[in-house]
């Protein structure tokens, strides 16, 4: 069983994908981390994330980089969004994601283009979203909890810029795939969002 979970930043898709993987006993891949690894490596080498050549050169990275907590920062998220517009970068990461989706027994993948590009054959497809205000508030609470000095306004502006870039790019833009169920988590606490996601997957897979 392949479950595709797509949606914008801070929509709750990561939490939902992890919970679905635990519930259905499937391995999980956070594909955003792959783009974050590329963005981090470009910056680490002093390269330019807007240069397709610099970004492509950074697509070879050791698996161990995916465990680096530095990849989780907002700054690296913004770099990931910039390197992810290059078609050559997306191509370079494609085989790895398709292999993960195709493993025996299935998998849960979350990202922006899982149901549209990586695994259009997925058995269940969710498009998880939430209002910019709700997403910014979550990110604000999370970052303040880590002791980061940020304003809600700057987070909202950053999320809106990232949404615009992810939705407007010519290759694999963020969009709800045909057949994907929409799950708006704006007013849902995590447990309710997870329960709703499980119910949608059960409905799509006739379980
Ligand atoms: O989901 P996350 O915030 O970690 O993703 C970081 C960035 O990587 C996104 O803003 C998006 O530009 C890019 N991305 C992508 N396709 C995916 C996953 C992430 O373009 N499947």
């Amino acid at each position: 069983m392949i479950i595709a979970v797509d949606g914008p930043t801070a929509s709750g898709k990561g939490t939902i994908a992890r919970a679905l993987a635990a519930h259905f006993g499937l391995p999980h891949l956070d594909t955003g981390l792959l783009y974050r690894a590329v963005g981090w490596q470009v910056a680490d080498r002093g390269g330019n994330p807007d240069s397709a050549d610099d970004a492509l050169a950074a697509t070879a990275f050791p698996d161990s980089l995916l465990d680096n907590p530095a990849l989780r920062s907002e700054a690296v998220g913004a770099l990931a969004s910039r390197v992810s517009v290059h078609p050559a970068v997306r191509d370079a990461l494609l085989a790895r994601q398709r292999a993960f989706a195709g493993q025996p027994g299935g998998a849960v993948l979350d990202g922006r283009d899982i149901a549209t590009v990586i695994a259009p054959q997925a058995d269940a497809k969710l498009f998880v979203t939430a209002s910019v205000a709700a997403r910014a508030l979550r990110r604000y609470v999370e970052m303040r909890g880590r002791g980061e000095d940020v304003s809600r306004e700057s987070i909202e502006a950053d999320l809106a810029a990232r949404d615009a870039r992810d939705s407007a790019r010519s290759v694999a833009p963020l969009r709800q795939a045909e057949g994907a169920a929409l799950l708006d988590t704006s007013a849902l606490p995590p447990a309710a969002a997870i329960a709703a996601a499980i119910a949608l997957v059960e409905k799509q897979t006739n379980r």
Side-chain angles (χ1 to χ4, degrees):
M1 174 162 79
I2 302 176
I3 304 176
V5 183
D6 290 303
T9 300
S11 58
K13 69 179 187 320
T15 302
I16 287 172
R18 272 191 303 279
L20 288 172
H23 182 82
F24 292 105
L26 296 168
H28 165 232
L29 179 64
D30 168 2
T31 64
L33 262 189
L34 305 177
Y35 291 93
R36 285 170 180 265
V38 176
W40 182 89
Q41 192 157 255
V42 169
D44 190 54
R45 291 174 175 175
N48 175 5
D50 302 320
S51 150
D53 288 342
D54 285 6
L56 181 61
T59 54
F61 52 80
D63 277 353
S64 58
L65 177 57
L66 299 176
D67 298 324
N68 185 337
L71 297 194
R72 309 271 173 188
S73 74
E74 282 304 293
V76 175
L79 288 169
S81 171
R82 285 163 68 186
V83 298
S84 72
V85 303
H86 305 302
V89 168
R90 306 200 70 84
D91 273 356
L93 299 178
L94 188 70
R96 181 179 187 149
Q97 295 174 79
R98 289 225 169 118
F100 194 92
Q103 61 190 297
V108 181
L109 289 87
D110 76 82
R112 302 290 186 290
D113 62 343
I114 308 304
T116 51
V117 175
I118 305 297
Q121 79 281 22
D123 305 281
K125 300 173 185 173
L126 299 184
F127 191 80
V128 182
T129 189
S131 66
V132 173
R135 291 157 50 213
L137 178 61
R138 282 176 200 158
R139 215 14 81 84
Y140 177 76
V141 170
E142 194 183 303
M143 291 172 79
R144 293 298 278 220
R146 288 199 299 253
E148 292 177 51
D149 182 23
V150 283
S151 72
R152 269 169 70 175
E153 292 71 29
S154 71
I155 294 175
E156 239 181 84
D158 187 56
L159 284 184
R162 206 130 62 97
D163 285 357
R165 192 159 43 221
D166 290 353
S167 305
R169 68 181 176 220
S170 56
V171 180
L174 172 67
R175 65 176 176 81
Q176 185 177 352
E178 207 173 307
L182 183 67
L183 177 54
D184 187 327
T185 66
S186 304
L188 297 179
I194 289 166
I198 291 172
L200 288 169
V201 169
E202 284 174 342
K203 192 170 160 205
Q204 289 186 358
T205 57
N206 297 317
R207 283 176 176 244

